[in-house]
Amino acid sequence: MKKPRIVILGAGYGGIMTTVKLQKMVGTNEVDITLVNKHDYHYQTTWLHENSAGTIHQDQTRIPIKDVVDFNKVNFVQDTVVSIDPKAQKVQLEDGELEYDYLVVALGFETATFGIKGLEEHAFNITNINNARLIRDHIEYNFARFNNEPGDREDLITIVIGGAGFTGIEFAGEIANRVPELCKEYDVDRDKVRIITVEAGPSALPGFDPELVEYAMNRLEAKGVEFMVGTPIKEATVDGVVVERDGQEEEIKTKNFIWAAGVKANSIVEQSGFEVNRGKVEVRDDLRAPDYDNVIVVGDCSLIMNEETGRPYPPTAQNAIQQSAVAAHNIKELARGGNDLQTYEFNNMGTVASLGHDDAMGVVFGDKKLFGWSASVMKKVIDNRYLLKLGGIGLLLKKGKFNIFH
Ligand code: FAD
Ligand code: NAD
């Protein structure tokens, strides 16, 4: 009898954890599992702000897929997904085509530009290893240029961050720690460097706990980060960023503009004809797409409503990782012809955001607020716990964050 073919698209948090769990649940004699990913490594998206600032190297963030996936059980295809045809049960890759009986879509997120002029051309984004590395090198190169260009080119050493959501705040914390090193290395006066975080909302992290927001803003300001709140970005140009302040447009001159003001689901999902809500598949309780019984969607491509708030749960690694347990169980069950499907419920474990490697803030265990060193340790515990889940103690020792004393 032909074995059911399971295809998993994307090896981010949702995809790789589903694969790792599934490979332990089924035998090679009963199913064929194929994992497709653009690169031969998994990367920790939640560490990309550190790679972008240059405070950790990309090799700590990326994990070879072969180190955590058993290639005797899973057929790994390094390729780029172009489209999915859920009616024909086919996936078009840049370099071929795959047919499936059961599909897991875990293609993650991309930057949302909201149609703002010039963003595609003139802004950097923190979304993957390649663009994180580019940001690091670009900023460093501009510091190197500063003393070699005629005139007072302060635009070269002005860093503008679009959006003070969690990504913007975390990047601000890292780059504020990195700037003194860059200044020393490239003979630049620290007082001339500006790090400006521009936020449309009335404060950083709009809607988050006010006490924690105040802590984060004070700590970042103490490290030299300027905040412009109530200030939407209107346009990015070759020379800088146009913002609206008090009803007036003004330009901030910069050659280092990092847009961190929003994410959306991978557009392949909508383009492939799935029924979407805000560009994502609003999955059923068992994580299946509403219109296809053989397709499960996890992570940032999926949408689940929080019944209490009437708004979707935010796209997080925490959610993608939790979903993987139900996704693996349900895909196994479907492939075996069973109908004992589990239902998924998000269990909010809290939110902790770093403010550089040495500081953080957040809320855990329901309502326990953490600040400073204890929050920073908690953040590293969360990061290390994931490594342990993904690849056991060996991976944790290789890639973990153990420096908790500063
Ligand atoms: P992703 O992690 O985006 O993975 C998608 C995978 O699919 C990638 O491997 C990618 O290469 C691959 N892929 C994409 N397109 C294709 C294609 N066409 N073909 C083949 N492969 C493809 N969340 C938290 O819970 N806690 C945090 O502390 C946190 N920190 C964050 C920090 C930063 C800087 C950022 C940007 C986000 C952070 N998030 C955090 C959010 C979190 O990273 C995302 O919600 C999470 O990565 C979503 O997981 P995913 O599996 O859906 O997709
Ligand atoms: P976000 O959507 O959460 O925040 C974007 C911010 O940009 C908002 O504050 C918004 O008001 C602002 N903004 C939007 N348009 C703007 C404009 N034109 N000008 C100026 N500001 C503008 O996006 P994010 O921070 O990238 O986070 C994405 C997801 O990843 C979220 O779900 C977040 O919770 C998660 N995340 C979590 C952590 C963590 O837990 N430590 C860290 C990073 C990201």
Side-chain angles (χ1 to χ4, degrees), residues 10-15 36-39 41 43 45-49 79-82 106-109 126-127 167 170 266 268 298-301 315-320 352 379:
Y13 293 100
V36 184
N37 196 55
K38 246 183 211 175
H39 306 106
Y41 56 83
Y43 54 85
T45 309
T46 61
W47 298 10
L48 289 176
H49 54 292
D79 207 334
T80 298
V81 176
V82 177
L107 290 168
F109 70 99
I126 305 175
T127 54
T167 301
E170 289 198 322
N266 193 316
I268 289 174
V298 294
D300 285 11
C301 290
T316 59
Q318 187 186 161
N319 181 49
V352 183
K379 180 80 178 151

Side-chain angles (χ1 to χ4, degrees), residues 213-368:
V213 173
E214 196 188 336
Y215 176 84
M217 290 179 75
N218 287 342
R219 298 295 294 204
L220 291 176
E221 277 169 350
K223 289 188 196 191
V225 176
E226 298 169 48
F227 283 95
M228 287 184 184
V229 296
T231 308
I233 288 170
K234 293 296 198 188
E235 188 181 344
T237 67
V238 70
D239 296 321
V241 180
V242 178
V243 302
E244 188 184 305
R245 278 225 280 184
D246 305 325
Q248 301 282 329
E249 289 203 346
E250 62 182 71
E251 190 185 39
I252 309 168
K253 297 245 186 252
T254 179
K255 285 278 180 274
N256 312 292
F257 174 40
I258 291 80
W259 173 252
V263 296
K264 60 180 184 181
N266 193 316
S267 45
I268 289 174
V269 169
E270 185 161 8
Q271 285 159 10
S272 297
F274 288 103
E275 184 187 322
V276 291
N277 176 354
R278 300 159 220 227
K280 302 179 179 198
V281 179
E282 188 168 354
V283 290
R284 296 180 243 171
D285 286 354
D286 55 22
L287 300 180
R288 285 188 292 173
D291 30 11
Y292 296 98
D293 284 347
N294 60 343
V295 179
I296 282 182
V297 186
V298 294
D300 285 11
C301 290
S302 70
L303 181 139
I304 296 176
M305 278 293 172
N306 179 345
E307 300 300 339
E308 271 170 37
T309 61
R311 296 172 52 166
Y313 284 109
T316 59
Q318 187 186 161
N319 181 49
I321 295 163
Q322 286 182 24
Q323 285 179 327
S324 69
V326 172
H329 171 89
N330 287 355
I331 212 86
K332 172 209 72 180
E333 196 58 23
L334 291 166
R336 284 182 179 163
N339 57 11
D340 180 22
L341 300 188
Q342 290 177 353
T343 57
Y344 175 73
E345 212 169 306
F346 176 59
N347 175 18
N348 189 355
M349 311 281 280
T351 301
V352 183
S354 64
L355 307 167
H357 69 272
D358 48 356
D359 199 358
M361 58 81 196
V363 55
V364 289
F365 312 124
D367 57 0
K368 172 117 184 71

